[in-house]
Each structure stands twice: as C-alpha cells, then as structure tokens.
C-alpha cells in the first residue's frame, strides 16, 4: 500500500510513508473495535427482546459487563495508538520535511535563488509544509483507514442482507465520487489563492525593504493603497475558493447521510413483506450510526487534500531541482584558475560567451569592463556559486564542476559588494570566516581590516550585536567586517568584488595596505569598477558584452590604446569634475 507516486503526490519522506501506514492500520483497528461495540449492544438488546417476547429468562449480566469493560479498555488503547500514529509521528515528519527542504536548498546552485524570491521560499518552508502537515495528520491515515474498515464492514453487511447493505452504503461511493470529480476545480482555486497570498507577501516585503525610499519620495499612501488592494484581492479569492469547496463538501455529506433514510425505507418495506424481522433492521440501524463516522473528519478535509496538491508540487519543485554536487575531496595541484571557453546564460539571456583566461597563483588578476559585461558572473562561476552552461573552469587542473561546493569553497575567501552579516555580535560575524578561531585571532583579522576604530566605539566592543544584516553599522563598517572575515579564513584563493568601494579615502588606503600584505602568494581575482584600484594588478582581463576584449598587464593595455585605456581616461576626466 502507498506507492512512490503516492509518496510524491503528498510530498512524504520514506518515514512519512511508514507513518501513514501506521495511521491507517490503527484507524482500521479503532473502527472495527467501535463496530464491535455495536455488536455487543445488539446482543444485549436481542437478549432483552427475547425476554419480552418469548418469556425467556434474562441472561447472566456478568458476561456482558466483562465484554463492556474489555471494549472500553481496547477502545482506550487503540485510540491512544491511533492518536500517536496520526498526530505524534506526523509532527516529527514536519520537522524532518523542513530540515530536508533546508538541506536541499543549501545544496542548490545560487542561480536557483534568482528565480525564487524570499517570500516565495519562506511560504514553501512554512505555509506549504503547514498545509501538508494538516493533510498528513488529519486526512491520510483516517481516510485510507476508513476505506479499509468500511470495506470489511460492507462485506459483513452483505452477508447479513445485501438489500439493506446497498440501502445503507450507496451514498458513500456517490459522495466521494462527487468530491473526486470536482478536485480539479479545487486545485485551480487553490492555485489562485496561493498566487494572491504570494502577491500580498511580496508587497509587504517590498514595502519593508524600501521603507526609506517610500518615505523619502512621499509614496506612503500609494504603496499602502496598492497593498490594501492585494489584501482585498486575496480575501475575495479565498472566500470564493472556500465557498465553492464548502458547497461540494456539504453536498457530499448530505448525499452520504441519505443512506439512513433509504435504510429505514427499505427495511420497513422488507419487514412488512415478511422477508426480515425487526432485529435485523435494528442491527443495520446500529451499524449505520457508526459506519459514516470514520468518514466525517476525512470528508470535511478531503477538499484540503485536493488543494494540498499545489503545496506538494511547490515542495517537489525544490526536490526536483538538480543540486550542485560532486566529490567530497578537493586536492588541486596549485591554485591557478583557468576559464576555458566558459559560457553562461541566465533565463536564456547570454551573460558570458566562450570566455577564456587564466588567473595565476601568486598574482592579482583584475576583471574590468562596463556594467553588465559579466565580471561578477565570472567570480561567482569561479567559486561554483553558479554552474557554467558551457566550457570548463579548472582550479589547479581540477574541473570544479566535479567537486562538491562545500569542499571547493574551503579554499576560497570572498568579499563581495553585497555584504551579508548576521544578527549576532561583531566577534561571531568575523569568526564565520573560520569556526574555532580564538578571540585573539579574530581581533588580529579585525585590526588588519581596520575594524578596531569603529568597534571600540560600540557599547560592548566586539561583543556588541549589530542587528539584522548589520543594520546598526554603516556601509563601510559592514564591508570591513566582511574583509576581516575573509582575512581570518586565510584561504589560498581570494575573490574581491570592489572590496573597498564603501570606504573613505583614509580607510581605503589602510585596508588596501592590509590586503596587499595578507594576499601575498595567493590566487587573487578582483572585480573592479574604478581603474585606479587595479593599477598595480599583475594582469587585467577586460570584458565587454560577455567576451574577453583584451588582457595583459596595465602598462601593456595602456600602450594598446584599447578599451582599458579608454576607461582609464574617462574615469580620470570624471575625477576632475567639480560643482559649479
């Protein structure tokens, strides 16, 4: 029971499948024991009726009392087991699923995150998993257990009288047929609701991230109006979806309950014709009070099971995305970085086209060029944050596409323009460069990156929390912490993307001096926009429109009079510009 398709359909782990089997098993046991209680009641009533009609003496009460006590004990134990199998185990499944999704996201190439925004991924990890948790705990075990137990009971009822059995059970397949027949409508409704909810989340996130710009341009009312419209649209779509689902669910419930009326009508007719006695009809009336009960919860939530397909599909989309995997061991012969006819396209838009160059160990190689020429893309490809769509990138003769990114990045230190810090202390943010580093080693790296000056002004020095993404620091201070983190790691390959862009002239000079001392002997790849920052580079690679336009030493490129010289001259002219 429960195939791989079932597992994928409901985004279950292997343990989740086992939990669902346990839930269904104990649901069957509970339903049959409850139905056995109806049997005990039937036997007691039959004995009492025999006494009234035939004058037979009442049977001994002790056996019935013993059966009643046994029924209560069995009912308690099996209900407890059912609860543990359908709820207790499922909560562990939720934890396992979130950890599994997070682990999968950790291994995905960075390019994936350009297609999914933060609100979308957060909704998958929290909202979609929550929706599936409700299905796992409240629907699957109960529903499939009800299928099995009702089938067993139906067989028994047909043995007693096939006519009353049909009158009793005809509504069950009709009710579920109605719901399964409308599940595509429920899925489409859920898709519209999910999209509307994401628009609300995106709107809120956008407003929070750009609150300063919104206030600075007096656009509060316009943004709030737009957000109110998204919320109202989400409310309308949700109400429409709930209304449509509610109509079908309630119609199915009414149809199923019509079995009570048809059982009474058919039974009364059979009694009048002398084909059955009253006690047989009484038995079916007892059964019918419980035969629908297993479906009550499942029927109310089966529409949610259909709707959950949207959430399951979104979770499976993460699982289906190929991860950036490879060998766990990285042992290059040196640390030369070689781009060999490397191409890269993002959403079918070509960013790099057959780019070839070599960044040699012990040298500083600078990537320069106009905005959009592919400089930052090259740096990210060199660290396998993205995977090239064509060509090969080798480090020390090893094709990096064959190496697990975690093993590869152990040899990299990176400082990009977009600094990412955590809501922790200065000390711990720098220590991310090398876990296990001593406090003195962290302070030494901080001093080399010229962090001491502003850290000593903080209330608790290096133990001061800096807020979400370093919100309590200036741009230059945040970048210096990022540089200190890279210096602490002391990896053989260093990638710098305008590492001094946010520093003032004095601090820029100090940090450049520290970088010059500490980067000696390493493979350094620098992305630069200001030509004066790479004037002392060993080699410059000029990119234009995703291709290598020219490469060589700064002096050689100045003599050639090509694009590099033109960029240097233009920046020199801009630096001489003044107000007035």
């Amino acid at each position: 029971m429960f195939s791989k398709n079932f597992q994928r359909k409901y985004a279950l782990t292997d343990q989740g499948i086992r939990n669902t089997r346990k839930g269904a098993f104990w649901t069957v046991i509970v339903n049959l024991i409850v139905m056995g209680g109806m049997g005990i009641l039937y036997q007691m009533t039959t004995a009492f009726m025999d006494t009234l009609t035939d004058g037979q003496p009442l049977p001994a009460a002790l056996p019935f009392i013993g059966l009643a006590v046994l029924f209560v004990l069995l009912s308690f134990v099996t209900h407890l087991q059912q609860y543990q199998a359908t709820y207790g185990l499922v909560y562990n499944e939720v934890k396992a699923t979130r950890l599994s999704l997070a682990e999968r996201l950790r291994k995905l190439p960075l390019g994936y995150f350009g297609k999914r925004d933060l609100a979308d991924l957060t909704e998958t990890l929290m909202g979609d998993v929550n929706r599936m948790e409700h299905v796992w705990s409240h629907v699957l075990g109960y529903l499939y257990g009800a299928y099995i137990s009702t089938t067993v009971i139906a067989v028994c009822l047909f043995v007693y009288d096939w006519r009353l059995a049909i009158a009793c059970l005809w509504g069950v397949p009709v009710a579920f047929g109605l719901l399964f027949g409308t599940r595509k409508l429920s899925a489409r409704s859920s898709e519209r609701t999910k999209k509307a909810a994401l628009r609300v989340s995106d709107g809120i996130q956008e407003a929070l991230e750009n609150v300063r710009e919104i206030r600075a341009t007096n656009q509060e009312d316009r943004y709030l109006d737009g957000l109110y419209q998204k919320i109202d649209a989400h409310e309308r779509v949700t109400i429409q979806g709930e209304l449509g689902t509610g109509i079908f669910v309630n119609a199915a419930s009414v149809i199923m309950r019509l079995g009570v009326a048809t059982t009474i009508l058919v039974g009364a007719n059979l009694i009048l014709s002398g084909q059955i006695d009253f006690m047989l009809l009484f038995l079916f009336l007892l059964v019918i009070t419980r035969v629908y009960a297993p479906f009550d919860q499942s029927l109310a939530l089966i529409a949610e099971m259909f709707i959950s397909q949207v959430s399951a599909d979104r979770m499976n989309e993460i699982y289906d995305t190929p991860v950036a995997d490879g060998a766990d061991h990285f042992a290059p012969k040196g640390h030369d970085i070689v781009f060999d006819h490397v191409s890269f396209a993002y959403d079918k838009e070509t960013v790099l086209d057959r780019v070839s160059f070599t960044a040699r160990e012990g040298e500083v190689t600078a990537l320069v060029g106009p905005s959009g020429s592919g400089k930052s893309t090259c740096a990210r490809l060199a660290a396998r944050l993205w995977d090239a769509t064509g060509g090969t990138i080798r480090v020390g003769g090893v094709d990096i596409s064959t190496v697990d990114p975690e093993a590869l990045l152990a040899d990299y230190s990176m400082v990009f323009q977009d600094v990412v810090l955590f809501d922790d202390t200065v000390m711990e943010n720098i220590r991310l460069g090398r876990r296990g580093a001593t406090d003195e080693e962290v302070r030494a790296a901080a001093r080399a990156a010229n962090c001491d000056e502003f850290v000593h002004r903080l209330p608790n020095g290096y133990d001061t929390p800096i807020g979400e993404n370093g919100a309590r620091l200036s741009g230059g201070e945040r970048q210096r912490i990022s540089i200190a983190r890279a210096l602490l790691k002391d990896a053989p390959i260093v990638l710098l993307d305008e590492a001094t862009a946010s520093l003032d002239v004095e601090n820029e000079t100090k940090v450049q001096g520290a970088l010059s001392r500490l980067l000696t002997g390493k493979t350094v790849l620098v992305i630069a926009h200001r030509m004066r920052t790479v004037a002392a580079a060993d080699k410059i690679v000029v990119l234009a429109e995703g291709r290598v336009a020219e490469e060589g030493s700064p002096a050689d490129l100045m003599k050639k009079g090509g694009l590099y010289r033109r960029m240097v001259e233009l920046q020199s002219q801009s630096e001489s510009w003044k107000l007035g």
Side-chain angles (χ1 to χ4, degrees), residues 6 62 117 130 198 297 420 456 505 515:
F6 179 91
L62 188 60
D117 60 32
N130 275 345
L198 286 175
Q297 179 170 324
V420 176
H456 288 154
V505 175
L515 289 174

Side-chain angles (χ1 to χ4, degrees), residues 421 454 470-480 502:
L421 301 177
F454 71 86
R472 298 173 186 170
L473 304 178
S474 69
E477 291 167 349
R478 292 169 63 242
Q479 199 160 40
R480 274 181 275 175
S502 299

Side-chain angles (χ1 to χ4, degrees), residues 321-386:
T321 302
V323 298
D325 55 6
D328 294 331
H329 182 63
F330 179 50
K333 297 178 180 178
H335 289 88
D336 287 358
I337 302 175
V338 178
F339 276 61
D340 186 3
H341 295 86
V342 173
S343 298
F344 180 76
Y346 180 75
D347 283 345
K348 298 181 180 180
E349 179 183 350
T350 299
V351 180
L352 296 179
D353 184 15
R354 299 188 298 279
V355 169
S356 296
F357 67 86
T358 299
R360 299 194 180 281
E361 186 172 9
E363 294 183 357
V364 175
T365 302
L367 300 178
V368 303
S371 296
S373 59
K375 302 184 297 296
S376 295
T377 300
C378 283
R380 283 160 172 77
L381 290 175
R384 209 190 170 193
L385 299 180
W386 294 337

Side-chain angles (χ1 to χ4, degrees), residues 264-292:
I264 294 174
L265 291 173
V266 172
N269 184 61
L270 293 174
I271 290 174
L272 290 175
S273 63
Q275 299 180 56
I276 64 170
D277 59 17
F278 173 76
M279 290 309 297
L280 184 60
L281 175 60
F282 178 70
L283 171 63
F284 273 83
L285 291 177
L286 280 178
V287 170
I288 208 170
T289 61
R290 291 300 308 169
V291 76
Y292 301 136

Side-chain angles (χ1 to χ4, degrees), residues 103-116:
E103 179 68 10
R104 188 75 180 187
L105 288 172
R106 185 177 67 84
K107 294 182 177 181
L108 293 180
L110 188 64
Y112 172 81
F113 297 94
K115 303 173 186 176
R116 299 280 297 271

